[in-house]
Amino acid sequence: MLEFDPHVLDEKPVPPPEEFSKRAHVRSLDEYRKMYERAERDPEGFWGEQAKLLDWFQAPTKVLEWDSPHAKWFSDGKLNVAHNCLDRHLEKNHNKPALIWEGEDGATLQFTYAELHERVCRFANALLSIGVKPGECVTVYLPMVPELPIAMLACARIGALHSVIFGGFSATALVDRIADSQSKVLITADGGYRRGKIVPLKDTADAALKNCPTIAKSIVVKRTGHDVDWHDGRDRWWHEIEKAASKDCPAEPFDSEHPLYVLYTSGTTGKPKGVLHTSAGYLLQTTWTTRLVFDLRDDDVYWCTADIGWVTGHSYIVYGPLSNGATIVMYEGAPDQPTKDRFWEIVERYKVTIFYSSATAVRAFMSWGMEWIDKHDISSLRLLGTVGEPINPAAWKWYFEAIGKNRCPIVDTWWQTETGAIMISPLPGATPTKPGSATLPLPGIIARVVNMKNEPVPPGETGYLTIQKPWPSMLRTIYGDDERYAREYWQKIPGVYFAGDAAQCDKDGYIWVLGRVDDVIKVAGHRLSSMEIESALVSHPTVAEAAVVARPDEIKGEVIVCFVTLRSGHSPSIELRGLLMEHVSTTIGTIARPADVRFCDILPKTRSGKIMRRLLRELAHKGGISGDTTTLEDMGVIERIAKTQGKEEE
Ligand code: WTA
């Protein structure tokens, strides 16, 4: 969790730039407040009205059925998500670019709405031809290539769920997620480009599939063209089955609550959880927030730099923008490839107007310096966004000045895989911003910072962030584990949604999200579980016990520090430290690579045997005793602190 400097709460709000407000969808704080109050008074009336943003095959008469903690939204309505993202735009936007894609190697492709529609229809038929049925789950393990959104929309079109797995995950992570979803089909690629190298996705997938008995077919996109192993009978080239399929694939109506996708995310246990989203409520809230929060207009060129392997890419590269008929930019690779101005080159080339990125990226740009930005004309930008982790006020201000040239409002958007869509954010033409605060909840969202008894905490005190009423894009359950869904989200503070974040609310009602209160670690905005990393460590033959904590980091927000005790017969060494780091990154993925592994005789525990993470966090933070050397931690110190803190923690 971030160190918090309470005086920032008193900072003067930055009003929305006047020129921006004049043309915005929502133009003043007053207008926002009216909308908010209207939604609070009559949530069903409010959401029922917003539902007109979607194209329904059968319009719903019901809005919400709430049998806590289970919600159904618009349950008697019928629609097709892919139809909403593609077909409905064809008449007006047939030739409008839907997707502008750039590979890291410089390859570029553009698809109009008509072309994207055709590709999706063909691939939907290809999936049907290999026997994919509505309600089944298809696992997608791809780099950031156009086939990724095409595969997702093709699944949506035929009512199959997709489970997209971030391309940075390893074979073991893939096996766990495929086993949980019981997918029969995997979609992957020979490879993708990252930092000038090939990421050999098919090799990783092949290793995983040795342990995935459910997978019968694997569809492989040819991206790099390098040689790959081939399993006849199982593997098929994407381009071959797409070519053989018809382009005629009518969009069938599905119920509002038909499942749309599972997305695995890290929680407080070693087992990743499959967050389940369904169709209409999810699509409505992503569509509506894209329009309002990004103040989207017809001629915008919208670029969200997230990877589609995470929820930000699902909601704000694919579903929200396409459902609005927007032009989206998608980039395959790293921001510093080949040089540190790649992003600004892309902004200039495509005249990007809306740029949505992470706080980590902003801090990296800041550290790289103005020379990279000054090389390019980025005056097309009119709105900036950030997501995924708290943004410190200094980075916010830099973003505003250096990238936004004091002209572009910043939307600091708070939300989660589980919330499906943005929940707390400024409306760029209406809400005065305070650097570091996600500001106010959106209309229809009842967010409160409370104590464990669900009582609001006074301004300036830290409490838990909760959502007090159901919202359309909320997760419906954890795939295959409804009990865990109820327990983790709705029973911690009975009856309300527990977000797992610490926050403060200031005297103006502005919300300041401070970070997680559980064992989730956010490394560069990527969500990882300390328990998952601990299980990876103890699977190594030398490790007896492991505890993993976060250490604040200037660029990445947080990094991973591991404390391990070794089995007898093994002793600390630089080699072992390196081996363990490597072991974590091959077991989970390179994103989970620890910044440090430190050796102890014992892990400090409370009398009841709970590992004292607070103490370890403190040690990790302060650089501790051993620093970069590999000697054992000074147990005398640990024990002394443990004695005093152990009592408090029990
Ligand atoms: C954190 C990402 C501060 C938070 C969309 C949350 C943020 C977790 C913000 C969800 C923000 C997200 N300010 N913290 N604007 N946005 N977070 O599921 O801790 O990958 O609980 O979804 O990211 O991460 P997830």
Side-chain angles (χ1 to χ4, degrees), residues 12 32 36 71 124 249 292 332 339 368 471 513 531 553 611:
K12 275 225 161 348
Y32 154 80
Y36 191 88
C249 180
L292 253 75
E332 179 188 34
T339 44
W368 294 343
W471 63 99
V513 178
M531 304 284 278
D553 181 85
I611 291 175

Side-chain angles (χ1 to χ4, degrees), residues 312 388-390 412-417 501 513 516 522 527:
T312 304
E389 43 182 325
D412 175 354
T413 62
W414 179 89
W415 59 293
Q416 308 177 296
T417 306
D501 278 340
V513 178
R516 303 289 306 191
K522 278 278 178 143
R527 183 165 159 177

Side-chain angles (χ1 to χ4, degrees), residues 265-266 310-312 316 356 386-391 411-419 424 436-438 465 499-502 512-517 520 522 525-527:
T265 191
S266 301
W310 307 100
V311 75
T312 304
Y316 296 106
Y356 187 32
T386 155
V387 62
E389 43 182 325
I391 180 160
V411 288
D412 175 354
T413 62
W414 179 89
W415 59 293
Q416 308 177 296
T417 306
E418 292 87 341
T419 69
I424 304 175
S437 166
L465 182 57
D501 278 340
W512 300 75
V513 178
L514 309 178
R516 303 289 306 191
V517 291
V520 168
K522 278 278 178 143
H526 296 151
R527 183 165 159 177

Side-chain angles (χ1 to χ4, degrees), residues 66-385:
W66 178 231
D67 179 9
S68 180
H70 296 111
K72 286 185 188 158
W73 284 89
F74 312 110
S75 71
D76 60 348
K78 284 189 195 298
L79 83 181
N80 182 296
V81 171
H83 165 91
N84 272 275
C85 292
L86 298 165
D87 310 40
R88 69 157 154 166
H89 307 308
L90 290 181
E91 201 174 312
K92 187 170 148 230
N93 286 327
H94 202 263
N95 291 322
K96 178 176 177 174
L99 172 62
I100 299 171
W101 175 82
E102 187 163 309
E104 195 185 76
D105 58 350
T108 57
L109 288 170
Q110 287 210 20
F111 302 81
T112 62
Y113 268 91
E115 287 161 345
L116 193 63
H117 174 259
E118 183 179 327
R119 293 285 309 267
V120 168
C121 287
R122 276 192 198 279
F123 193 65
N125 277 327
L127 289 175
L128 290 171
S129 77
I130 58 166
V132 175
K133 304 234 160 21
E136 277 180 16
C137 187
V138 172
T139 295
V140 183
Y141 181 61
L142 283 174
M144 284 283 285
V145 290
E147 285 80 358
L148 175 48
I150 291 172
M152 293 160 76
L153 291 164
C155 286
R157 193 166 190 89
I158 61 170
L161 292 75
H162 52 73
S163 160
V164 179
I165 297 171
F166 174 61
F169 277 121
S170 70
T172 320
L174 202 50
V175 171
D176 292 346
R177 287 156 177 81
I178 289 173
D180 192 82
S181 68
Q182 296 283 299
S183 295
K184 294 182 194 151
V185 173
L186 172 74
I187 302 172
T188 187
D190 50 0
Y193 291 103
R194 185 83 193 170
R195 297 225 148 75
K197 293 202 188 89
I198 289 179
V199 181
L201 289 171
K202 186 166 191 310
D203 291 353
T204 309
D206 283 347
L209 291 193
K210 289 191 183 120
N211 298 309
C212 295
T214 58
I215 298 281
K217 292 270 180 284
S218 157
I219 301 174
V220 186
V221 174
K222 193 178 242 178
R223 163 74 183 110
T224 58
H226 72 286
D227 276 344
V228 285
D229 282 348
W230 204 254
H231 296 248
D232 287 327
R234 185 193 75 190
D235 297 346
R236 307 276 302 271
W237 285 112
W238 171 302
H239 55 272
E240 286 175 5
I241 66 165
E242 187 187 323
K243 200 163 147 208
S246 151
K247 65 175 196 227
D248 187 18
C249 180
E252 301 290 336
F254 289 100
D255 289 344
S256 290
E257 284 297 336
H258 189 81
L260 180 63
Y261 69 79
V262 191
L263 181 57
Y264 285 90
T265 191
S266 301
T268 47
T269 71
K271 190 175 178 280
K273 45 191 176 186
V275 165
L276 180 78
H277 284 294
T278 59
S279 302
Y282 172 81
L283 188 66
L284 173 62
Q285 203 177 323
T286 51
T287 306
W288 177 73
T289 49
T290 304
R291 207 182 156 83
L292 253 75
V293 173
F294 301 112
D295 192 52
L296 193 70
R297 257 195 290 270
D298 237 10
D299 55 357
D300 272 316
V301 178
Y302 167 99
W303 183 20
C304 165
T305 68
D307 192 292
I308 295 180
W310 307 100
V311 75
T312 304
H314 281 59
S315 298
Y316 296 106
I317 297 180
V318 184
Y319 292 111
L322 293 177
S323 169
N324 277 293
T327 296
I328 60 177
V329 172
M330 179 177 168
Y331 167 59
E332 179 188 34
D336 53 355
Q337 197 59 37
T339 44
K340 293 188 166 76
D341 57 343
R342 184 63 183 269
F343 273 20
W344 317 121
E345 193 185 302
I346 292 175
V347 168
E348 181 174 24
R349 182 155 36 247
Y350 305 113
K351 301 203 168 25
V352 172
T353 56
I354 301 173
F355 179 77
Y356 187 32
S357 197
S358 66
T360 291
V362 172
R363 288 187 293 258
F365 303 142
M366 194 163 120
S367 75
W368 294 343
M370 283 310 289
E371 58 183 291
W372 301 106
I373 299 154
D374 289 342
K375 279 184 166 175
H376 298 280
D377 174 7
I378 57 167
S379 60
S380 55
L381 290 173
R382 66 179 197 93
L383 176 68
L384 306 175

Side-chain angles (χ1 to χ4, degrees), residues 591-618:
I591 43 163
R593 192 182 171 84
D596 200 358
V597 171
R598 291 160 56 167
F599 300 101
C600 320
D601 265 342
I602 51 158
L603 291 175
K605 289 187 185 155
T606 60
R607 269 175 298 173
S608 57
K610 257 174 56 189
I611 291 175
M612 295 170 58
R613 287 174 195 281
R614 192 150 64 95
L615 165 59
L616 293 177
R617 256 179 234 128
E618 213 168 282

